[in-house]
């Protein structure tokens, strides 16, 4: 490893995609002689892919393994505040994550993106810009490919989406540019409060050469940074300007690309394009490649994705809206000829949903609330319809739609109370929408 650490015994916490990528990476390192994996789940995903010479302890912790380790590589899903990890740390055992392992091995330039919302879109968009410029780019991290798996491909440039969980265990990631897009309440079941959550996000700037932050959200400003670039709707190096022809994406107030040329839908994606341009400039991606990507890139699945237009009713999948701010972004500037049928529900992670009230009041909206926090969300409206499952909520919405209406899944909650992840929730939404409109019985 770069820091010369002579590691013999490594314990990996958590299997799945990330844990397997860590195991594969460690097996390529001469310093590592023994790898063990602990997963508190009884039947963790990826067991069938674990090499025979790697021992697995599942269904709980193994204190003996932890306390005899030279290094612990922990999954982002395991809080550092866990008593088991706290005891290991008190013993002087280093605890890192997969991104820190990546940082100690990568030799090509790296761009990092974090934020409560929009980071997947910006990460993917910068990746598309690089591809348009003929750059061999790896795009992953908290999205798509595990960071460590991409190292085997020796890319010219890496674009990483980084969650606050990943940043907690990362200390030496040398970023060509880092972006903190926005901050809103999320993961309050893991953090002591917003300041704790914000501090985790701000770690992305610790080793970066250019800090890109949102001039419309002061919470994203780095504490100490030599070089900065700001983006925002009315201020910043990367901003919007207006003319008789409309609004423009601009740099240093010079209009470069008409907002009307953006393929992505939604006002929040205008800001995402500005952030992406700042990062692309830092990576020396040509402006022409940036423009081409912005004009062509239509976004990721489960993010304000129109999946069906049947009988004049739009069915829109925004399952990635796992927190309040994402749902507010989806509702911002929404105009309809008819009524909005909004599906809300899941695990709210302790969030206060009251900020949704003004947005709902400004719209002709009927809300349908389901899942773990469905009854809490139902308090937002006197005529809210509450169901146990999402497909039941969709059936209720379908029965009330007329031409010009929209059925929008933008849950403002995590999905894990009823689904494996937000992707499964979004895929289920698509299947149920098609079944309802085909007159078939919903069967899941």
């Amino acid at each position: 490893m770069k820091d010369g650490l002579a590691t013999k015994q490594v314990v990996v916490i958590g299997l799945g995609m990330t844990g397997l990528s860590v195991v594969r990476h460690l097996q390529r390192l001469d310093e590592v002689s023994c790898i063990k994996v602990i997963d508190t789940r009884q039947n963790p995903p990826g067991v069938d892919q674990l090499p025979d010479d790697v021992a697995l302890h599942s269904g709980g912790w193994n204190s003996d393994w932890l306390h005899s380790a030279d290094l612990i590589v922990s999954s982002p899903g395991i809080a550092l505040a866990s008593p088991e990890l706290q005891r290991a740390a008190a013993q002087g055992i280093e605890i890192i994550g997969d991104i820190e392992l990546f940082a100690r091995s990568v030799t090509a330039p790296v761009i990092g993106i974090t934020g409560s919302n929009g980071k997947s879109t910006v990460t993917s968009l910068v990746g598309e810009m690089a591809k348009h410029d003929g750059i061999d780019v790896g795009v992953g991290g908290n999205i798509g490919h595990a960071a460590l798996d991409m190292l085997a491909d020796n890319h010219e440039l890496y674009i990483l989406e980084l969650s606050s969980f990943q940043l907690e265990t990362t200390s030496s990631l040398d970023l060509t540019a880092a972006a903190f897009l926005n901050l809103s309440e999320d993961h309050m079941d893991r953090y002591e409060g917003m300041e704790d959550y914000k501090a985790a996000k701000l770690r992305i700037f610790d080793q970066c050469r250019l800090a890109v932050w949102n001039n419309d959200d002061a919470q994203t400003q780095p504490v100490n940074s030599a070089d900065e670039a700001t983006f925002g709707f009315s201020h910043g190096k990367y901003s919007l300007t207006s003319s008789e022809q409309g609004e423009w994406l601009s740099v240093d107030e010079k209009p470069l690309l008409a907002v009307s040329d953006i393929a992505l839908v939604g006002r929040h994606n205008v800001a995402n394009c500005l952030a992406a341009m700042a990062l692309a400039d830092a990576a020396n991606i040509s402006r022409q490649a940036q423009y081409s990507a912005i004009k062509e890139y239509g976004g990721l699945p489960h993010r304000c994705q129109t999946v069906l237009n049947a009988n004049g009713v739009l069915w829109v999948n925004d399952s990635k809206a796992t927190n309040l701010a994402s749902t507010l972004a989806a509702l911002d500037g929404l105009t309809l000829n008819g009524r909005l049928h909004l599906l809300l529900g899941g695990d709210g992670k302790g969030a206060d949903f009251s900020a949704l009230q003004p947005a709902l009041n400004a719209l002709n909206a009927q809300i349908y609330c389901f899942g773990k926090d469905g009854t809490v969300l139902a308090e937002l409206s006197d005529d809210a319809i509450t169901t146990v499952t999402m497909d039941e909520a969709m059936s209720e919405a379908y029965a009330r739609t007329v031409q010009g209406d929209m059925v929008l899944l933008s849950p403002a909650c995590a999905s894990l109370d009823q689904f494996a992840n937000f992707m499964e929730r979004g895929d289920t939404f698509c299947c149920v929408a098609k079944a309802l409109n085909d007159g078939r019985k919903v069967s899941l």
Side-chain angles (χ1 to χ4, degrees):
M1 298 184 186
K2 282 184 179 179
D3 61 358
L5 178 66
T7 302
K8 295 181 180 179
Q9 305 273 345
V10 181
V11 173
V12 179
I13 310 296
L15 205 52
M17 182 183 76
T18 299
L20 287 169
S21 74
V22 171
V23 169
R24 287 189 288 265
H25 178 74
L26 291 173
Q27 287 189 316
R28 295 192 290 266
L29 300 178
D30 294 335
E31 304 98 314
V32 178
S33 60
C34 179
I35 306 168
K36 297 178 180 178
V37 177
I38 296 173
D39 197 303
T40 57
R41 294 168 290 188
Q42 194 64 50
N43 297 298
V47 171
D48 57 331
Q49 302 174 54
L50 195 64
D52 293 337
D53 59 345
V54 176
L56 170 66
H57 179 92
S58 61
W61 293 90
N62 187 318
S63 297
D64 289 340
W65 285 12
L66 285 175
H67 296 154
S68 62
D70 297 305
L71 176 70
I72 295 172
V73 184
S74 183
S75 163
I78 306 297
L80 288 175
S82 300
E84 294 80 6
L85 292 183
Q86 287 288 299
R87 286 192 286 270
Q91 191 178 318
I93 300 170
E94 185 181 22
I95 303 172
I96 64 173
D98 68 306
I99 301 301
E100 179 62 18
L101 273 182
F102 174 90
R104 296 179 184 189
S105 296
V106 68
T107 55
V110 184
I111 299 290
I113 299 102
T114 197
S116 298
N117 300 292
K119 55 186 178 291
S120 295
T121 296
V122 173
T123 301
S124 299
L125 179 54
V126 178
E128 291 301 309
M129 291 174 172
K131 291 175 186 176
H132 275 276
D133 213 23
I135 297 171
D136 180 358
V137 63
V139 179
N142 194 48
I143 176 180
H145 303 289
L148 288 168
D149 282 345
M150 295 193 298
L151 285 176
D153 295 323
N154 293 313
H155 295 291
E156 298 176 271
L157 174 68
Y158 294 89
I159 316 293
L160 299 183
E161 175 187 323
L162 299 171
S163 70
S164 57
F165 297 171
Q166 289 171 313
L167 289 167
E168 287 175 16
T169 53
T170 303
S171 58
S172 59
L173 184 59
D174 180 7
L175 295 170
T176 296
F180 187 175
L181 303 177
N182 47 61
L183 184 72
S184 60
E185 188 177 87
D186 200 3
H187 304 301
M188 291 298 100
D189 51 349
R190 171 133 165 184
Y191 293 103
E192 295 181 1
M194 284 297 291
E195 285 301 313
D196 190 27
Y197 177 42
K198 172 185 170 182
K201 291 285 191 187
L202 283 171
R203 288 174 65 92
I204 197 169
F205 293 137
D206 286 353
Q207 303 289 332
C208 77
R209 303 178 196 182
L210 177 70
V212 176
W213 58 280
N214 187 346
N215 210 39
D216 295 325
D217 187 347
Q219 297 294 314
T220 66
Q221 185 173 3
V223 177
N224 293 300
S225 180
D227 295 308
E228 300 178 9
T230 58
F231 68 95
F233 285 137
S234 57
H235 303 284
K237 180 179 178 67
Y238 296 82
S239 64
L240 286 185
T241 58
S242 299
S243 69
E244 293 180 358
Q245 289 74 38
E247 291 184 309
W248 295 77
L249 301 179
S250 304
V251 178
D252 293 326
E253 299 189 355
K254 178 182 178 181
L256 297 178
L257 187 68
V259 168
S260 59
D261 286 336
I262 298 174
L264 289 164
V265 175
R267 188 70 175 172
H268 56 295
N269 279 321
V270 178
N272 287 338
C273 287
L274 290 168
M277 290 177 67
L279 294 169
D281 280 352
N284 296 316
I285 298 171
S286 72
R287 283 281 167 77
Q288 191 54 53
Q290 295 177 35
Y291 303 157
S292 296
I294 289 172
K295 291 177 180 179
E296 296 177 16
Y297 180 63
L300 296 163
H302 313 295
R303 296 160 175 83
C304 289
Q305 173 195 25
T306 299
V307 297
L308 190 66
N309 186 344
N311 303 313
V313 178
L314 286 178
W315 294 75
V316 179
N317 170 21
D318 191 33
S319 182
K320 184 60 171 67
T322 57
N323 57 43
L324 177 65
S326 293
T327 298
L328 287 170
L331 300 179
D332 183 33
L334 187 64
T335 56
L336 290 171
N337 294 326
R339 196 173 201 196
L340 174 67
H341 301 265
L342 178 62
L343 305 175
L344 299 168
D347 181 357
K349 299 173 287 186
D352 177 3
F353 296 113
S354 60
L356 264 178
Q357 195 83 61
L360 293 173
N361 292 342
L363 294 165
N364 177 15
Q366 170 69 59
I367 64 172
Y368 305 80
C369 307
F370 63 91
K372 179 181 177 182
D373 285 325
T375 54
V376 177
L377 286 156
E379 296 174 3
L380 293 169
S381 174
D382 292 336
D383 63 352
I385 295 172
T386 305
T387 65
V388 175
T389 65
M390 184 183 72
D391 56 296
E392 291 170 342
M394 293 177 69
S395 295
E396 294 285 349
Y398 175 75
R400 292 167 173 79
T401 56
V402 297
Q403 186 173 356
D405 287 0
M406 174 189 289
V407 181
L408 171 63
L409 171 65
S410 190
C413 294
S415 59
L416 299 181
D417 60 328
Q418 295 185 343
F419 300 94
N421 47 51
F422 74 85
M423 295 87 77
E424 182 182 84
R425 179 171 63 186
D427 290 340
T428 300
F429 173 82
C430 297
C431 291
V432 173
K434 291 172 183 175
L436 288 168
N437 284 281
D438 288 345
R440 294 183 279 116
K441 182 179 179 180
V442 176
S443 178
L444 300 174

